[in-house]
Amino acid sequence: MQEKIISGFSKLTKAEKLTWVTRHYVADAEAAAGEIAGFTHADERLQQVLDRFSENTVANYPMPFGIAPNFLINGRVYAVPMVIEESSVVAAASSAAKFWLARGGFKAEVLSTVKLGQVHFTWSGDPARLRLAFAELESRLRLDAAYLTENMEKRGGGVGQIELIDLSDREPGLFQLRIAFETCDSMGANFINSVLEQFSATLEEFAAAHPALQPDGKDLVVIMAILSNYTPECVVRAYVECPVDRLAGACKELGPAAFAEKFRKAVRIAQVDPYRAVTHNKGIFNGVDAVVLATANDFRAIEACGHAYAARDGQYRSLSNCTVEDGLFRFWADLPLAVGTVGGLTNLHPLARRSLDILGNPSAEELMAIVACTGLAQNFAALRSLITTGIQSGHMKMHLANILHHLGAGEQETREAIEHFRDKTVSFAAVREFLNSFSGNAGVVSKAP
Ligand code: MEV
C-alpha cells in the first residue's frame, strides 16, 4: 500500500506523473501510459492553455462536440453546440427543434437575473442591537467594496439588496448577510466572492468598533463568505405552444388530441411523483448541461441549483409543465440558469469561444434562453418517444452502430446487422454472435466488450 502513496506529485513533470500513476495503479503500465498520452493535443501552445484550467493534468479527456441545428428561438435561428457523451441526445434535440420550427419555434423570456451571496457569521449578542446598527453597517459595506464594484456598476450591475438574516433560532448566535448581485454578462462568481470577502473584513472591523455592539462586538466572527449557487431569482421561462391540431405529425401512433393528452399526463406524472420527476428532469439536463458545457459554464452549479429549484415547495417535481386547454397545447419550463458569456473559461477555452461564436456571441440573457430551450426540446423529444415508441428503439440504433464499429464490422456486415436487429434486442454478445455467423465473415470479431 505504501508504494501507492506519494508526496510531491504535483512537482513531477507530466510524463513523470503519468509514468508514476500507471506503474503503481495499472497492470499494463506502458500501454496505458502510451494510450493516455495519446490524448495530448499536438499543438503544444493549445495544450498549455488546457493544462492551465486544472491541476496534475496528464492528458485531455475528449468529449463529442455536436451541433443541433434549426433551433428557432424568439424569432432567431440558432445552431446549438452541445457537448455530451450520451447517444441520441443531440439527435433528439435536433428533431424537436425541427418539429417546432414549423410551429412557431421556441420562445423564452428571462424572468429575473439576480444572483446571491452570503456572509455567514456568529455573534452571541442581542440581535436587536445588530438590527439597530445595520443601516450604518450597510453604508460601510458598500463604501469599502466600492473599489471592487465600480467597474460592474459602469456595466449596469453591482450590489443590490443587503439583508441581515437571523438564524439564531436554528443555531445559537448564527446570522448571515444575504446579498443580491447583478453581474451583467458574466456568471459573476469571482466578482461576488471578492465582494463578499471584502464584506467579511468590513463586518468584523465594524462590529469591533461600533458602540452599539460593545462590549462584545469583537466576538462577532465570520464563519465563511461565498456565493450561493441557489439562484431562484435568476430564472428563464422557455415555452412552445400551438393549437392541438397542429401537433399532427408528432407521432404516427396517435392523433394530435390523443398525443396532447397523453403528453400532458406524462408531464403530470413527473409533477406528482419524485421518482419519475428525477428521470424527467435528468432528460431536461441532458440538453441544458450539453450547452452549458459547450460554452464552458459551470454545469455542477447549474445542476445543483436546478434540482433544488425543482424541490422548492418541499417536494421534488418536474421542472416542466404542460396544459391542454381550449384547443391550445402549451409546454414550458422555468429554469434557474446562472450562466455567463464573458469571464471565467467562456473566453479562454478555444471551443467555448467558438461555441459562443456559433451562437452569434449572445448576451448572458440570450444564452439563458438558448440553454432553456435546448432543455425543453430535449424534454419534448424524450416524452414524445416515451409515450409512443419508447426510447429503446432510437437508443438501440445508436448502440448497435457503436458496437458494430467497436467490433470492426465492414460495410456489408453493418447493413445486414442493422436489418437483422430491426426487430431484435441489441446486446454486445448478440451482435458478436451475429457477426460471427455472418456468411462470408472472416472472423472480424476479436475485441472483448
Ligand atoms: C435519458 O438520458 C433521459 C430520459 O430517461 C429522460 C426521460 O425519461 O424523460 C429518456
Side-chain angles (χ1 to χ4, degrees), residues 86 89 276 279-284 286 379 382-383 386 391 395:
E86 183 176 331
V89 169
R276 171 58 200 151
T279 320
H280 177 100
N281 289 344
K282 188 272 184 187
I284 294 177
N286 275 347
N379 193 211
L383 293 179
L386 286 168
I391 60 160
H395 265 266

Short mmCIF file of all heavy atoms in Angstrom, two decimals, residues 86 89 276 279-284 286 379 382-383 386 391 395, ligand 1:
data_model
loop_
_atom_site.label_atom_id
_atom_site.label_comp_id
_atom_site.label_asym_id
_atom_site.label_seq_id
_atom_site.Cartn_x
_atom_site.Cartn_y
_atom_site.Cartn_z
N GLU A 86 -23.61 11.10 -24.33
CA GLU A 86 -24.72 10.12 -24.44
C GLU A 86 -25.30 10.13 -25.85
O GLU A 86 -25.63 11.19 -26.38
CB GLU A 86 -25.80 10.47 -23.41
CG GLU A 86 -26.94 9.47 -23.39
CD GLU A 86 -27.97 9.76 -22.30
OE1 GLU A 86 -27.61 10.33 -21.26
OE2 GLU A 86 -29.15 9.42 -22.51
N VAL A 89 -28.91 12.13 -27.70
CA VAL A 89 -29.32 13.42 -27.13
C VAL A 89 -29.32 14.52 -28.20
O VAL A 89 -30.30 15.27 -28.34
CB VAL A 89 -28.41 13.80 -25.93
CG1 VAL A 89 -28.65 15.24 -25.51
CG2 VAL A 89 -28.66 12.85 -24.78
N ARG A 276 -40.34 9.61 -10.79
CA ARG A 276 -40.38 9.94 -12.21
C ARG A 276 -39.76 11.33 -12.46
O ARG A 276 -39.06 11.54 -13.46
CB ARG A 276 -41.84 9.88 -12.70
CG ARG A 276 -42.05 10.39 -14.11
CD ARG A 276 -41.22 9.65 -15.16
NE ARG A 276 -41.10 10.47 -16.37
CZ ARG A 276 -40.08 10.42 -17.23
NH1 ARG A 276 -39.07 9.59 -17.05
NH2 ARG A 276 -40.07 11.21 -18.27
N THR A 279 -35.99 11.45 -13.21
CA THR A 279 -35.62 10.98 -14.56
C THR A 279 -36.05 12.00 -15.62
O THR A 279 -35.32 12.28 -16.57
CB THR A 279 -36.32 9.63 -14.84
OG1 THR A 279 -36.27 8.84 -13.66
CG2 THR A 279 -35.66 8.90 -15.98
N HIS A 280 -37.24 12.54 -15.42
CA HIS A 280 -37.79 13.55 -16.31
C HIS A 280 -36.84 14.78 -16.36
O HIS A 280 -36.45 15.23 -17.44
CB HIS A 280 -39.17 13.93 -15.73
CG HIS A 280 -39.91 15.00 -16.44
ND1 HIS A 280 -40.93 14.75 -17.33
CD2 HIS A 280 -39.84 16.36 -16.35
CE1 HIS A 280 -41.44 15.88 -17.76
NE2 HIS A 280 -40.79 16.89 -17.18
N ASN A 281 -36.46 15.24 -15.17
CA ASN A 281 -35.56 16.41 -15.13
C ASN A 281 -34.17 16.07 -15.64
O ASN A 281 -33.49 16.91 -16.23
CB ASN A 281 -35.48 16.97 -13.70
CG ASN A 281 -36.78 17.64 -13.29
OD1 ASN A 281 -37.62 17.96 -14.14
ND2 ASN A 281 -36.95 17.87 -12.01
N LYS A 282 -33.75 14.82 -15.43
CA LYS A 282 -32.46 14.39 -15.98
C LYS A 282 -32.47 14.59 -17.50
O LYS A 282 -31.50 15.03 -18.10
CB LYS A 282 -32.20 12.93 -15.60
CG LYS A 282 -30.81 12.41 -15.94
CD LYS A 282 -30.71 11.85 -17.34
CE LYS A 282 -29.35 11.26 -17.61
NZ LYS A 282 -29.17 10.85 -19.00
N GLY A 283 -33.61 14.27 -18.10
CA GLY A 283 -33.73 14.46 -19.55
C GLY A 283 -33.60 15.93 -19.92
O GLY A 283 -32.96 16.28 -20.91
N ILE A 284 -34.19 16.82 -19.12
CA ILE A 284 -34.05 18.26 -19.37
C ILE A 284 -32.57 18.65 -19.29
O ILE A 284 -32.04 19.36 -20.14
CB ILE A 284 -34.89 19.08 -18.36
CG1 ILE A 284 -36.38 18.80 -18.58
CG2 ILE A 284 -34.58 20.58 -18.47
CD1 ILE A 284 -37.32 19.49 -17.60
N ASN A 286 -30.06 16.79 -19.83
CA ASN A 286 -29.30 16.29 -20.97
C ASN A 286 -29.06 17.43 -21.95
O ASN A 286 -27.96 17.59 -22.50
CB ASN A 286 -30.08 15.20 -21.72
CG ASN A 286 -29.89 13.83 -21.11
OD1 ASN A 286 -29.00 13.62 -20.29
ND2 ASN A 286 -30.74 12.89 -21.50
N ASN A 379 -36.61 17.54 -23.40
CA ASN A 379 -37.71 17.00 -22.62
C ASN A 379 -38.87 16.63 -23.57
O ASN A 379 -39.47 15.55 -23.44
CB ASN A 379 -38.15 18.07 -21.62
CG ASN A 379 -39.07 17.57 -20.52
OD1 ASN A 379 -39.90 18.32 -20.03
ND2 ASN A 379 -38.94 16.33 -20.11
N ALA A 382 -37.88 13.46 -25.46
CA ALA A 382 -37.90 12.26 -24.62
C ALA A 382 -39.34 11.81 -24.38
O ALA A 382 -39.67 10.63 -24.52
CB ALA A 382 -37.19 12.54 -23.29
N LEU A 383 -40.21 12.77 -24.04
CA LEU A 383 -41.60 12.40 -23.73
C LEU A 383 -42.31 11.89 -24.98
O LEU A 383 -43.11 10.95 -24.93
CB LEU A 383 -42.35 13.59 -23.13
CG LEU A 383 -41.85 14.03 -21.74
CD1 LEU A 383 -42.64 15.23 -21.24
CD2 LEU A 383 -41.94 12.90 -20.73
N LEU A 386 -41.21 8.42 -25.27
CA LEU A 386 -41.69 7.57 -24.18
C LEU A 386 -43.16 7.22 -24.31
O LEU A 386 -43.56 6.10 -24.00
CB LEU A 386 -41.43 8.26 -22.83
CG LEU A 386 -39.97 8.26 -22.37
CD1 LEU A 386 -39.78 9.19 -21.18
CD2 LEU A 386 -39.51 6.85 -22.00
N ILE A 391 -38.10 4.67 -25.71
CA ILE A 391 -36.83 5.26 -26.14
C ILE A 391 -35.83 4.24 -26.66
O ILE A 391 -34.83 4.58 -27.27
CB ILE A 391 -36.14 6.08 -25.02
CG1 ILE A 391 -35.84 5.20 -23.81
CG2 ILE A 391 -36.93 7.30 -24.65
CD1 ILE A 391 -34.78 5.80 -22.93
N HIS A 395 -32.38 4.52 -29.09
CA HIS A 395 -31.12 4.29 -28.37
C HIS A 395 -30.37 3.10 -28.96
O HIS A 395 -29.17 3.13 -29.13
CB HIS A 395 -31.42 3.98 -26.90
CG HIS A 395 -31.34 5.17 -26.03
ND1 HIS A 395 -30.20 5.50 -25.35
CD2 HIS A 395 -32.24 6.13 -25.74
CE1 HIS A 395 -30.42 6.60 -24.67
NE2 HIS A 395 -31.64 7.01 -24.89
C1 MEV B 1 -32.20 9.52 -20.81
O1 MEV B 1 -30.91 10.06 -20.79
C2 MEV B 1 -33.24 10.57 -20.49
C3 MEV B 1 -34.65 10.07 -20.36
O2 MEV B 1 -34.71 8.99 -19.41
C4 MEV B 1 -35.49 11.22 -19.91
C5 MEV B 1 -36.91 10.85 -19.55
O3 MEV B 1 -37.16 9.72 -19.14
O4 MEV B 1 -37.76 11.77 -19.65
C6 MEV B 1 -35.17 9.49 -21.67
#
